[in-house]
Amino acid sequence: MLTVALLYNLLPLLLMISIIIFTRHKLLPIGLMALVYLIAFGITYFRLTSKNLLSIIWGNLVYGIIYTVIIYFLLNFTKEERPRQKLIFKTASIAIGVLAIVSAGGFLHSFLSVKPTWNSINKVYSKSNEAPTFKRGETPIALAPKTVINRVRKASSDIPHSQYYSISNQVQAQFFKNKPVYVVPVEYSGFWQMTKAGSIPGYFIIDATRQNATPHFVKRPYRYATSAYFNKDAARQIYRHSTSWLDLGSPQLEIDNAGKPYWVQTLYKSEFLSHRVNYKKLHVAVMNAQSGAVKIYSIKNMPKFIDEGITTAIANKLNTDFGKYKYGF
């Protein structure tokens, strides 16, 4: 995150260095740079700002304007320094202008250039009579996610110290030991509850093929969760360890065949100078919910226990992009 905040402040940093080298001013440019950087870091830490190149250029434009304007009015220059002052601020103005043009062009490119996104989608066509269906002997899913949530909430008293926790609205369907199940995470009820509890005691699992199935609470304590705060936030932890990747959607909880919980999030690379997804470069971040260790895999090489490297929400987006942009913008 320190690096991301720094990337957002390259222009102010270069301006500060120029002022320090070519004028007598030292303390004020450094102090203002530190303040701007801290603001950028705070926004990056809490908002998890995009690491997309276009976003970084836009950030340099915004922070560059702020730093340039403030430093211009705060500093006094001697007659000997004024030629250098004019050169410094003229160069900064040109840089700001270039960044503005590139940003505007990038946003326009993101809006209009949709065909590369469609081309990046891996497509396999088949006739309607060849479409995949349930095979004989396979047991279909018998429970709807809403039903699962209601049953799990009724069983929430099984959670130790349940006053600190609530049931997530996220329901994850997956195979556990070759059997279809639903996994439902437990969440912290709030910040103070997290500080008192220290960790989440486990998660719920329920058979997805039986209509009368009851939830079973699995005691597998984990510290990292989407409902946690600061460095224990699962999304923030993945963000910190996937510096060159952009995230699609929120992390979701999956378990391996031993019942160990992991947070799984789809990652991608965007088209050049664009916010649009390059579907050929989808990867998966897998984070151990107990230790916080993060590993990144390609879709083809992700661990076998992961059933949704591409989440339902991302699959819906992919289908939408396929249908919407088939013939371009």
Side-chain angles (χ1 to χ4, degrees), residues 115-258:
K115 197 63 176 178
T117 298
W118 189 86
N119 289 334
S120 71
I121 298 173
N122 184 28
K123 298 170 279 289
V124 177
Y125 295 95
S126 61
K127 296 179 181 179
S128 58
N129 59 356
E130 297 173 347
T133 58
F134 278 112
K135 297 178 182 178
R136 186 181 298 276
E138 285 187 349
T139 306
I141 300 299
L143 294 175
K146 187 177 289 187
T147 303
V148 172
I149 289 292
N150 290 335
R151 291 186 184 181
V152 170
R153 283 177 178 161
K154 290 178 182 178
S156 60
S157 58
D158 294 344
I159 306 172
H161 305 291
S162 58
Q163 69 271 22
Y164 297 141
Y165 309 103
S166 60
I167 303 302
S168 171
N169 289 322
Q170 180 192 87
V171 179
Q172 178 58 34
Q174 71 167 102
F175 280 88
F176 177 62
K177 296 181 179 178
N178 298 318
K179 188 175 183 179
V181 298
Y182 284 115
V183 177
V184 181
V186 174
E187 295 181 336
Y188 293 113
S189 295
F191 174 75
W192 297 113
Q193 287 82 352
M194 184 194 78
T195 58
K196 292 178 181 178
S199 66
I200 291 176
Y203 55 85
F204 281 93
I205 189 170
I206 183 171
D207 189 339
T209 61
R210 292 190 299 114
Q211 286 190 345
N212 61 346
T214 56
H216 170 62
F217 180 71
V218 180
K219 291 184 179 180
R220 280 277 188 166
Y222 54 94
R223 300 164 58 202
Y224 295 85
T226 53
S227 59
Y229 294 81
F230 303 116
N231 288 346
K232 295 299 184 291
D233 181 353
R236 183 169 290 112
Q237 182 73 353
I238 292 174
Y239 180 94
R240 291 172 58 203
H241 290 85
S242 56
T243 51
S244 62
W245 294 92
L246 306 171
D247 60 85
L248 271 174
S250 302
Q252 58 187 22
L253 192 72
E254 294 204 29
I255 57 176
D256 64 12
N257 284 330

Side-chain angles (χ1 to χ4, degrees), residues 31-106:
L32 181 59
M33 182 68 244
L35 178 61
V36 172
Y37 178 80
L38 286 174
I39 292 171
F41 177 77
I43 293 173
T44 300
Y45 185 84
F46 290 105
R47 301 280 298 175
L48 303 182
T49 51
S50 174
K51 292 168 280 189
N52 179 286
L53 177 59
L54 189 57
S55 297
I56 291 172
I57 291 173
W58 173 254
N60 274 274
L61 174 63
V62 173
Y63 290 119
I65 291 174
I66 292 171
Y67 187 87
T68 302
V69 171
I70 293 176
I71 208 73
Y72 180 83
F73 286 105
L74 285 182
L75 296 183
N76 293 317
F77 296 94
T78 63
K79 287 184 178 181
E80 293 79 11
E81 292 174 334
R82 281 176 187 169
R84 285 169 281 173
Q85 172 210 4
K86 289 181 179 179
L87 179 60
I88 290 171
F89 285 100
K90 183 179 180 180
T91 304
S93 299
I94 292 172
I96 288 171
V98 171
L99 291 177
I101 292 171
V102 173
S103 295

Side-chain angles (χ1 to χ4, degrees), residues 9 22 110 146:
N9 279 278
F22 296 110
S110 297
K146 187 177 289 187

